[in-house]
Amino acid sequence: MAAAVSPSWNPLRCGGTALPVNLLVMAKAIAIALLLTNHVALLPDPFLPFVPGLDSIQPVLFQRTLQVVFVASALALLFNRSVRLAAFILGMTIIVSVLASKAYYGNNKTFCGFILFLTGLYQPGREPWMIRLQLALVYFGAGSNKLLDADWQSGVFFQNWAANRLHQPVFIAVSSYLPPLLLAKAISWITIATELGLSGVFLVRRLFPLGIWGNLLLHSGMLFFTGSTFTMFFYAMTASMLAFASWPASPMLVIFDGDCGFCALSKRWVERFDLENILDWRPYQSGAGKRYGITDADASQRIYLINGDRIYSGFSAFKMMVLCNPISYLLTYTVLAAPGAGDSRFRNVVVAILLFLFSPFFRPVGDALYAWVARNRRSLVSNSNCSLE
Amino acid sequence: MKTTAAAALLLFQVVMMVYARFVPSRYFCWAPFDIQTEYKLQVEVGGRALNAKEVRTRYRRAQNGTDNRSPQHVMDIVQGYEETYGRNNPARVEMRYRVNGKQEQVWRWPRQ
């Protein structure tokens, strides 16, 4: 009988643990953001707790214990040590902090705590329905609360927030051409509809891709409009979309031109970052693509990637390689959270670029770039013996 | 057990969302940034007005601040402090606040 393989200590690895890869990536992304924004410094001592009696605990002991457990569990998560337990403990640390101090209480912290707590309760072999329900609940609560608020219905909240608090220049400029409160009211109702819509979308599997894009656009829009991540909200809400992602259950077949030096070089580079071995590379010359209807003529012009019953080619295939690699997300959240807890134009630019690159709008550009590289691959790599016929 | 714990957490949130319809506070009901409250706290202890640093030390809130939630959250903190930690060192508090930029309102502690 083969011995059980212990998960890797490499924080860039996300396979071989008690959590599915996508959920572990989600939890790690949140942990990375918590650590890089120095959230540990915010953890409170008991102050007007929601749970009576918590403030009878010696305050310094309480706070230091929380901080040590917080960092230890976050690091355990990153280094793949008992990941479900680590996520559970990290979530509980935040939940206990919230319950211990009304001054610390905040929706973003509560959400982080709940998502990590629920991740820790994940049962192998099942869908992460608890996490998905949590997201649906958050959007339903947010949307319904706004729907029933007179100042949201009328646009008064948004007008005051955008113009008087944020001094948002684009909003002020555009609204100056419109009747009073019209723009604010429109944005208010769009927000309400989006949040309530998302709460329903996240309950229907075939609508998950729509929900993921809706979430990313909503929270990125808030980031661009306000310049703020709302502490952890942006990171946690976007990372939690991984719970809705359709993650490959087995290695994806990649059909490439085995006679092409440039292709071989590209393969070696991609394999270097494919720590989970999610890609199974086969030259088309082996006939591997035939049963998927991929002719030799097609495969000699562009790369093909097969994920379940879906076939991607060219730029789309490359995009799938990036989207299904945990390193993409870990690196992204590290870059986004690196500027720290404050506002950052750099962060806004990175988010905007990523949204654009992975949006349908960039696809024609991506396809054109890919086609250009394919046509000129002979000259891109010396000693290449690619044949274009 | 795990399913029960998760279900209990989700049910708790549903209860809080319903409860929020009947009270001014907004805890655990996912009402982020739904109300903009600008407030100013004037606090007197033993006849002496506290400065900004003293107010922050006492209530862990800024003396002049903004809360992106219900004004009840600030009131809860002030009232909660005065009813517990501040019993032996009571303060008279006047909070002037505006909700979403509308007309200024006043809240006082002790209640009059």
Side-chain angles (χ1 to χ4, degrees):
Chain A
M1 182 186 300
V5 177
S6 177
S8 169
W9 280 87
N10 185 344
L12 297 179
R13 292 288 309 273
C14 294
T17 74
L19 285 173
V21 173
N22 56 322
L23 289 190
L24 182 54
V25 175
M26 175 193 77
K28 283 191 179 185
I30 296 174
I32 286 170
L34 284 168
L35 290 173
L36 289 180
T37 55
N38 198 26
H39 196 88
V40 65
L42 298 179
L43 296 178
D45 58 340
F47 179 78
L48 300 176
F50 288 99
V51 175
L54 281 179
D55 52 357
S56 61
I57 302 172
Q58 207 280 331
V60 174
L61 174 66
F62 182 90
Q63 187 180 36
R64 292 288 177 261
T65 302
L66 275 183
Q67 290 172 330
V68 168
V69 173
F70 178 92
V71 174
S73 55
L75 291 177
L77 198 52
L78 290 179
F79 289 97
N80 303 315
R81 302 297 101 194
S82 300
V83 292
R84 279 189 297 170
L85 181 62
F88 180 84
I89 292 175
L90 182 58
M92 280 303 300
T93 306
I94 298 172
I95 291 172
V96 168
S97 299
V98 168
L99 293 176
S101 172
K102 281 199 175 81
Y104 174 81
Y105 170 82
N107 285 287
N108 71 94
K109 300 150 189 165
T110 308
F111 179 74
C112 282
F114 285 3
I115 282 293
L116 289 166
F117 174 85
L118 291 172
T119 301
L121 294 181
Y122 171 78
Q123 295 180 355
R126 299 175 71 167
E127 296 284 331
W129 64 267
M130 300 179 286
I131 297 171
R132 292 172 180 170
L133 267 180
Q134 177 63 76
L135 264 295
L137 210 52
V138 170
Y139 283 116
F140 182 76
S144 58
N145 192 70
K146 292 179 177 70
L147 180 68
L148 297 172
D149 187 303
D151 285 351
W152 270 90
Q153 295 166 8
S154 64
V156 164
F157 168 88
F158 205 92
Q159 179 70 34
N160 177 65
W161 187 36
N164 302 331
R165 296 295 311 162
L166 298 175
H167 306 291
Q168 225 287 342
V170 174
F171 177 88
I172 292 171
V174 174
S175 62
S176 67
Y177 293 104
L178 298 170
L181 284 181
L182 179 62
L183 181 61
K185 193 172 182 177
I187 295 175
S188 296
W189 281 100
I190 288 171
T191 303
I192 291 169
T194 301
E195 289 182 338
L196 288 175
L198 285 174
S199 71
V201 161
F202 284 136
L203 298 176
V204 182
R205 179 186 294 277
R206 63 186 169 85
L207 297 178
F208 284 176
L210 178 65
I212 291 172
W213 267 108
N215 167 289
L216 295 177
L217 289 174
L218 175 66
H219 293 287
S220 299
M222 288 164 59
L223 176 69
F224 301 146
F225 192 79
T226 67
S228 171
T229 61
F230 300 94
T231 314
M232 280 297 300
F233 222 45
F234 171 79
Y235 303 111
M237 291 301 282
T238 54
S240 64
M241 290 302 98
L242 284 162
F244 297 90
S246 183
W247 205 264
S250 56
M252 299 181 290
L253 189 61
V254 180
I255 308 295
F256 71 106
D257 184 351
D259 282 340
C260 172
F262 179 81
C263 303
L265 180 66
S266 303
K267 170 178 172 289
R268 279 200 299 276
W269 266 101
V270 173
E271 282 182 324
R272 188 171 295 188
F273 296 101
D274 182 16
L275 302 183
E276 304 300 333
N277 295 318
I278 61 167
L279 303 173
D280 177 13
W281 298 79
R282 306 278 183 88
Y284 79 79
Q285 290 85 352
S286 68
K290 285 188 168 48
R291 72 182 179 112
Y292 300 101
I294 301 170
T295 65
D296 288 356
D298 292 333
S300 66
Q301 300 297 320
R302 48 182 39 220
I303 203 169
Y304 281 81
L305 181 146
I306 295 100
N307 180 17
D309 57 358
R310 301 196 67 172
I311 300 175
Y312 304 85
S313 66
F315 176 70
S316 296
F318 175 73
K319 231 170 40 171
M320 281 302 294
M321 292 181 193
V322 173
L323 285 173
C324 293
N325 191 329
I327 293 179
S328 305
Y329 302 92
L330 301 178
L331 183 65
T332 296
Y333 279 89
T334 300
V335 168
L336 292 179
D343 298 347
S344 165
R345 188 166 294 181
F346 167 76
R347 181 185 298 124
N348 293 3
V349 170
V350 170
V351 170
I353 290 173
L354 288 173
L355 276 179
F356 179 58
L357 287 178
F358 287 91
S359 74
F361 301 110
F362 186 75
R363 188 170 170 178
V365 178
D367 286 341
L369 276 172
Y370 185 92
W372 183 87
V373 170
R375 276 196 308 274
N376 296 281
R377 60 193 182 191
R378 187 197 298 262
S379 57
L380 288 172
V381 176
S382 61
N383 300 324
S384 169
N385 58 351
C386 285
S387 168
L388 293 179
E389 284 83 35
Chain B
M1 173 75 174
K2 289 182 178 179
T3 305
T4 304
L9 179 66
L10 297 173
L11 184 62
F12 165 74
Q13 295 169 65
V14 173
V15 168
M16 292 307 292
M17 283 158 57
V18 173
Y19 179 66
R21 301 273 63 86
F22 302 100
V23 297
S25 59
R26 293 286 183 269
Y27 297 114
F28 305 107
C29 61
W30 305 118
F33 273 78
D34 283 3
I35 301 175
Q36 284 275 320
T37 301
E38 298 162 57
Y39 67 90
K40 293 180 185 176
L41 290 170
Q42 284 180 285
V43 185
E44 277 187 14
V45 176
R48 183 181 72 85
L50 299 189
N51 61 31
K53 187 176 175 185
E54 288 169 326
V55 170
R56 180 173 286 278
T57 301
R58 191 175 180 94
Y59 300 125
R60 301 194 186 186
R61 301 303 303 256
Q63 182 177 34
N64 298 333
T66 304
D67 194 290
N68 299 318
R69 295 163 301 194
S70 166
Q72 190 63 42
H73 291 199
V74 183
M75 297 170 193
D76 283 351
I77 286 176
V78 172
Q79 180 174 340
Y81 184 94
E82 296 304 326
E83 287 180 338
T84 55
Y85 313 134
R87 264 202 307 266
N88 296 329
N89 191 22
R92 297 185 67 82
V93 182
E94 180 178 277
M95 175 171 135
R96 292 183 174 274
Y97 65 99
R98 291 177 191 274
V99 174
N100 299 330
K102 294 187 294 190
Q103 190 171 4
E104 184 178 90
Q105 300 177 64
V106 181
W107 175 84
R108 293 186 175 87
W109 180 265
R111 299 285 187 83
Q112 293 167 1

